[in-house]
Amino acid sequence: MAIIRKKIIINGVVQGIGFRPFVYKIALKNKVLGFVKNTSQGVIIEAQGSKSHIQSFISDLKLLKPSQSVIESFKISGIKIKKEKEFNIIKSEKTSKARGIIPPDLALCSDCRKEMRNPKDKRHLYPFINCTNCGPRFTIVKDIPYDRPQTTMKKFKMCRICEKEYKNPVDRRFHAQPNACPDCGPTVFSIAGHKKLEGFEALNAAADAIISGGICALQSLGGFHIACSALNKKAVSKIRKYKQRPSKPFALMVSNIKEAKKICFIGKKEEEILLSPSSPVIMLKKRNSNYNCISPGLSTLGLMISYTPLHEALFQILRSKGFHNPLLMTSGNKRDEPIAKTILHAKDKLKGLINLALFNDRDIHNRIDDSVGFVMEDVFYLIRRARGYVPSSIKMPVEGGVSVLAFGADLKNTFCLSRGSRAFVSQHIGDLSEIENQDFQTETISKFKKLLSVKPRLIACDAHPNYHSSILAKKTSVKLVKVQHHLAHVLSVAAEHQIKKPFMGLALDGTGYGLDGNIWGSEFISVKGGKAERLAHLNYFGLPGGDAAQEEIWRCSLSLIKMLDKKFLLKGRKVFKGIKKEKIKIVEKMIEAEINTPLTSSMGRLFDAVASLAQIRQFSEYEAQGPMELESLFKRKSLKPYKFALLKGQNKIIIDPLPVITGILKEPDSPMKAQIISEKFHTALSLMVKDVFVSLRKENKIRIICLSGGVFQNKILLSLTKELLEKENFEVFTNVRIPANDACVSLGQTYAALKKIEFTL
Ligand code: ZN
Ligand code: ZN
Ligand code: FE
């Protein structure tokens, strides 16, 4: 029988997820000799055996690979046979050409959950239990290859039992880098006043604090959480006051799916995502009004399941004490600041709020927030992409190229670093007007460069000259490419879905700097090869006070009704109850004299105006609050929708919103008025989008459509629009793996820089 030997180099997400133990097992099964090792180039295998054994070994490699792994490349070459007696896992080495990829953090698996619930197990209620299928990854890794000495677990020396598990190829913890137990691993401790408690006692004290209505800080996986009973209104409002979030929704955490189902309606796909290793927060439909203080004014609630053993241990203790409420679980930071990462940081930031802090001695190297998303028609859409997803990459439809670093947009900032055709979009960084978030971005960029071993040769940023992200980008001494905001939005969809053909994009958005100096936000753009063109947009209207109109949303509606006949103006003014007459007059004068009143085509602001005219609210406390409440009121009753007018401009379609505004003003007063406006407006908007695309297709024959922009996080709008477009035979794509909001801009910038796409007005 002829013996052959093959060298196999596997690239992708193949480290830190039990890949080598898997290779070891299938090598034994197929009677293959040789070795497997982790290198910074990826996993290298040398396999020796009979031709048929090697063949079945290779097919097992591909077919039976661990569910967490992603194989990007698989290279096989024949090499000389060696004298060998067994198959081994050998020590990792670091070579210069680093190509490894770190997996995202994985939620507590069902085996570990079972173990820690068993009072007889040595890891009973141990907050750092993990195995090759679960546990920290990205948050603890400092350098590649992913091995214990390169993580914040370095300082913990495994005890004899843990080491035995780690070295035993048939053990669930074989080569689980963060493997630990109460004898050798990290410890929780709490400080309440001057008392320091450790281990179980610390957990117990945290549980008692929560039961008695207190607020705890927890040093979690990617940063600190603030937790309290979700039904304790006093504690919830204390957190609201502290975080300066009077009504912005919070997320809840429960310990299992059964508890989740008591609070919200949960579909099959939603259940699957809730229980997945990524374990994000999912926006779900509330069952009742019990949790209205958590998400006031909304029909949805963000929910997640205890994803670290620390959370799970806390729940177990709470349940054993007869306490069954869900916990409010929010990031440990003040409004808009990054999540606290170190004990010192947390002590400084959270004092005055918390009754007790649960710390531990495993450092968080990479800070990361909880991810958030929603399910629509069996597809999971991310709204905030962070833990459980980062640092997974997105393959762009390019054949490699230089490494690009794109700085993203200023709100919901992410940056993106490319390596070959792979785009690595960072975790949610946040609002860059906060200096701490700028530092967070700078720090994370250098960590990404190290983990990916790349030096960017091209920098991309937004076309906005005064964006903090643009200013940061200009500080680098590398060649700079400026990308228009909405072009970046639609390109991010094309990048994500590997679209190479010409397409038409639509960004419905809050704000973005336009090429004519106005604030854009409803942009139909075609992209053909290296050329992009603006084809249609919402007619401009004034934003009296600029940024002030984002919070005082009545300014948006006042600006629009000022464009109508006097009789509508008189009618419209009546909407502004509670706003001083003099204030309204001043703003009207601003509009008339065009003082500090930039022009905009923003769909976000039109939505705000409609929420104002529907008398849902006149002031917005968080971004899109009015529009989200308007969406929550939607009921499909098949009423006759309002109608946008489409005007033919110079080579462009101009969309006139005024007929919609008059339609709303004509609505008779009734308790159902806001609900009626919600339905008619959502429907009108989706019909307008369809009509514009149908009209544009007559000219350019393009039937691929990419939808992006924060407004498409509106589930109703997304679903109505997709349905109408697909009925017209369009092929519709949207942001799925990255959010449709400004978090996708860095990916679009990267793609624009690589493809050298030029935008003409
Ligand atoms: Zn596990
Ligand atoms: Zn141990
Ligand atoms: Fe945007």
Side-chain angles (χ1 to χ4, degrees):
M1 198 167 41
I3 298 292
I4 56 169
R5 189 177 181 92
K6 298 274 183 197
K7 183 176 185 175
I8 305 165
I9 303 177
I10 306 175
N11 256 298
V13 183
V14 284
Q15 296 183 356
I17 41 161
F19 200 82
R20 286 174 301 167
F22 151 74
V23 175
Y24 181 87
K25 277 179 211 162
I26 59 163
L28 295 194
K29 179 184 152 205
N30 290 300
K31 299 189 176 65
V32 163
L33 309 176
F35 63 83
V36 56
K37 66 179 174 184
N38 255 352
T39 74
S40 41
Q41 282 174 279
V43 167
I44 296 183
I45 303 167
E46 288 193 19
Q48 180 167 313
S50 71
K51 200 175 170 192
S52 67
H53 281 145
I54 293 291
Q55 268 169 356
S56 80
F57 171 73
I58 289 170
S59 92
D60 279 357
L61 263 181
K62 290 178 176 167
L63 284 174
L64 307 175
K65 68 182 169 70
S67 57
Q68 259 48 271
S69 61
V70 182
I71 292 180
E72 283 173 14
S73 73
F74 198 101
K75 282 182 209 146
I76 308 178
S77 51
I79 52 173
K80 263 194 191 159
I81 57 170
K82 290 179 189 167
K83 267 192 185 156
E84 234 160 11
K85 287 207 174 97
E86 53 194 355
F87 193 90
N88 284 311
I89 296 182
I90 58 178
K91 234 184 125 199
S92 301
E93 63 176 50
K94 194 172 172 169
T95 55
S96 57
K97 226 181 134 211
R99 275 287 181 252
I101 296 171
I102 306 299
D105 301 287
L106 306 170
L108 181 65
C109 75
S110 55
D111 289 333
C112 287
R113 205 180 285 265
K114 225 185 268 159
E115 270 183 17
M116 69 177 296
R117 283 179 183 174
N118 176 6
K120 289 190 186 118
D121 196 279
K122 80 161 174 164
R123 292 186 178 92
H124 178 226
L125 297 180
Y126 181 55
F128 304 95
I129 187 173
N130 67 84
C131 70
T132 43
N133 299 316
C134 75
R137 299 290 186 270
F138 174 64
T139 47
I140 58 165
V141 71
K142 291 176 162 178
D143 204 353
I144 49 166
Y146 171 69
D147 268 331
R148 192 169 175 115
Q150 313 262 38
T151 71
T152 59
M153 284 299 290
K154 184 184 174 182
K155 65 180 176 190
F156 303 99
K157 192 179 168 347
M158 268 187 261
C159 70
R160 211 173 33 82
I161 299 173
C162 285
E163 198 171 350
K164 216 172 140 192
E165 293 168 335
Y166 182 86
K167 286 185 171 161
N168 178 4
V170 291
D171 195 281
R172 205 173 88 243
R173 301 200 161 88
F174 181 51
H175 282 234
Q177 303 305 341
N179 188 24
C181 79
D183 294 333
C184 66
T187 321
V188 281
F189 59 93
S190 70
I191 298 165
H194 294 289
K195 245 187 13 209
K196 185 179 173 182
L197 300 169
E198 271 188 27
F200 183 77
E201 285 191 331
L203 287 165
N204 208 34
D208 287 341
I210 287 171
I211 293 170
S212 58
I215 298 166
C216 286
L218 311 175
Q219 185 180 349
S220 176
L221 190 62
F224 275 80
H225 271 144
I226 301 169
C228 74
S229 163
L231 285 170
N232 190 310
K233 291 203 173 94
K234 232 174 118 187
V236 174
S237 73
K238 194 175 169 193
I239 296 174
R240 287 206 174 282
K241 225 169 144 187
Y242 181 83
K243 293 192 83 166
Q244 299 163 46
R245 275 167 69 155
S247 55
K248 197 173 176 185
F250 286 122
L252 295 191
M253 186 184 269
V254 291
S255 79
N256 58 57
I257 192 77
K258 228 169 119 190
E259 290 179 1
K261 284 178 176 171
K262 282 185 194 153
I263 302 169
C264 291
F265 296 98
I266 298 176
K268 224 177 123 203
K269 183 73 185 179
E270 288 161 333
E271 177 168 347
E272 181 196 315
I273 304 289
L274 276 172
L275 297 173
S276 71
S278 298
S279 195
V281 174
I282 305 194
M283 304 305 297
L284 298 160
K285 205 166 161 46
K286 286 180 193 169
R287 273 192 189 273
N288 54 48
S289 57
N290 290 358
Y291 298 95
N292 277 1
C293 73
I294 304 290
S295 64
L298 302 181
S299 59
T300 56
L301 196 59
L303 206 72
M304 64 183 142
I305 289 179
S306 52
Y307 61 84
T308 72
L310 174 71
H311 295 114
E312 175 61 19
L314 186 60
F315 272 112
Q316 287 310 309
I317 295 168
L318 285 167
R319 301 304 183 241
S320 74
K321 291 173 185 264
F323 180 91
H324 293 277
N325 297 346
L327 299 181
L328 177 159
M329 196 64 68
T330 184
S331 52
N333 55 1
K334 278 202 175 175
R335 183 182 183 139
D336 299 333
E337 285 175 356
I339 187 168
K341 188 181 91 163
T342 63
I343 292 179
L344 271 177
H345 192 194
K347 275 185 181 162
D348 175 43
K349 291 284 167 191
L350 307 176
K351 65 173 178 242
L353 171 70
I354 53 170
N355 301 83
L356 183 138
L358 204 49
F359 300 113
N360 67 69
D361 50 358
R362 185 180 73 198
D363 298 334
I364 299 163
H365 185 67
N366 296 305
R367 83 173 92 203
I368 195 163
D369 280 282
D370 291 319
S371 294
V372 185
F374 65 86
V375 171
M376 195 189 82
E377 286 152 19
D378 271 357
V379 178
F380 179 60
Y381 296 86
L382 278 167
I383 303 174
R384 183 166 73 197
R385 184 177 177 275
R387 176 186 50 79
Y389 297 94
V390 175
S392 307
S393 65
I394 288 160
K395 191 164 165 50
M396 297 178 284
V398 290
E399 304 297 330
V402 297
S403 173
V404 178
L405 171 63
F407 277 73
D410 265 17
L411 286 173
K412 300 187 176 61
N413 177 269
T414 64
F415 65 85
C416 177
L417 187 59
S418 76
R419 188 172 78 183
S421 60
R422 292 267 158 190
F424 295 83
V425 180
S426 75
Q427 68 266 47
H428 167 79
I429 302 280
D431 180 352
L432 288 189
S433 64
E434 291 289 330
I435 203 102
E436 285 197 30
N437 286 326
Q438 295 183 22
D439 294 343
F440 179 24
Q441 196 207 47
T442 308
E443 169 198 319
T444 312
I445 286 175
S446 74
K447 284 176 176 169
F448 265 58
K449 282 192 210 162
K450 189 171 178 189
L451 287 178
L452 298 171
S453 316
V454 289
K455 254 200 198 125
R457 298 276 173 231
L458 205 54
I459 300 288
C461 73
D462 198 276
H464 197 308
N466 301 325
Y467 257 7
H468 298 285
S469 49
S470 307
I471 294 164
L472 288 166
K474 278 175 209 153
K475 282 187 186 158
T476 61
S477 52
V478 183
K479 192 183 165 201
L480 186 76
V481 183
K482 290 180 193 166
V483 185
Q484 198 278 326
H485 187 87
H486 302 99
L487 175 62
H489 264 292
V490 301
L491 284 175
S492 74
V493 180
E496 186 185 341
H497 294 280
Q498 302 263 320
I499 295 164
K500 288 182 181 164
K501 287 185 190 162
F503 69 89
M504 288 193 278
L506 168 61
L508 292 184
D509 202 23
T511 50
Y513 184 81
L515 296 184
D516 57 3
N518 294 322
I519 301 169
W520 291 7
S522 306
E523 311 307 314
F524 291 77
I525 298 165
S526 71
V527 179
K528 286 186 217 170
K531 279 214 158 64
E533 198 184 340
R534 190 186 193 202
L535 303 176
H537 64 86
L538 191 70
N539 204 6
Y540 291 128
F541 59 97
L543 270 188
D547 284 349
Q550 293 195 28
E551 276 152 35
E552 300 183 22
I553 60 174
W554 61 275
R555 289 172 184 244
C556 303
S557 50
L558 180 61
S559 166
L560 283 156
I561 58 178
K562 283 283 281 180
M563 294 162 90
L564 301 170
D565 289 350
K566 189 113 196 234
K567 73 169 190 203
F568 284 113
L569 178 60
L570 293 172
K571 215 173 166 184
R573 276 192 194 131
K574 288 186 189 141
V575 169
F576 308 125
K577 281 174 203 144
I579 298 162
K580 286 197 181 110
K581 283 216 169 85
E582 303 85 78
K583 183 116 196 227
I584 298 174
K585 266 196 191 136
I586 294 170
V587 175
E588 286 195 20
K589 287 243 162 71
M590 280 171 78
I591 298 168
E592 284 158 21
E594 294 171 25
I595 296 166
N596 190 17
T597 300
L599 292 177
T600 189
S601 56
S602 163
M603 185 53 69
R605 297 299 86 77
L606 180 62
F607 249 104
D608 280 338
V610 174
S612 151
L613 294 174
Q615 283 173 285
I616 290 171
R617 63 173 52 253
Q618 303 306 334
F619 296 88
S620 177
E621 182 238 310
Y622 57 88
E623 199 197 358
Q625 184 176 19
M628 279 164 77
E629 289 165 342
L630 188 71
E631 181 192 358
S632 275
L633 289 171
F634 182 93
K635 287 225 166 62
R636 204 191 273 244
K637 292 252 171 71
S638 303
L639 301 172
K640 192 168 175 263
Y642 308 123
K643 204 165 170 24
F644 285 85
L646 303 188
L647 317 169
K648 285 264 179 215
Q650 265 185 335
N651 324 317
K652 269 182 198 49
I653 297 173
I654 307 294
I655 302 142
D656 181 8
L658 294 182
V660 171
I661 303 298
T662 53
I664 293 170
L665 290 171
K666 278 184 198 158
E667 233 34 278
D669 279 326
S670 91
M672 304 305 283
K673 189 169 154 183
Q675 188 185 312
I676 290 166
I677 293 173
S678 172
E679 188 202 334
K680 290 187 179 178
F681 178 68
H682 278 93
T683 318
L685 185 49
S686 55
L687 283 166
M688 176 275 282
V689 171
K690 186 257 306 174
D691 289 342
V692 172
F693 275 125
V694 167
S695 164
L696 293 171
R697 180 173 56 184
K698 280 182 194 142
E699 308 263 316
N700 63 24
K701 311 281 182 249
I702 298 174
R703 51 176 293 273
I704 297 175
I705 288 177
C706 294
L707 305 176
S708 184
V711 175
F712 278 113
Q713 286 175 176
N714 180 321
K715 250 170 119 164
I716 303 290
L717 180 69
L718 179 59
S719 138
L720 290 174
T721 310
K722 262 190 91 178
E723 192 186 318
L724 286 171
L725 289 171
E726 279 163 1
K727 248 192 215 151
E728 291 291 336
N729 235 334
F730 284 106
E731 219 182 319
V732 186
F733 298 91
T734 55
N735 294 115
V736 178
R737 293 172 62 204
I738 44 162
N741 60 39
D742 282 3
C744 73
V745 167
S746 62
L747 174 64
Q749 290 171 349
T750 304
Y751 187 47
L754 281 168
K755 293 269 285 181
K756 299 190 180 71
I757 293 171
E758 295 234 342
F759 200 0
T760 48
L761 255 180

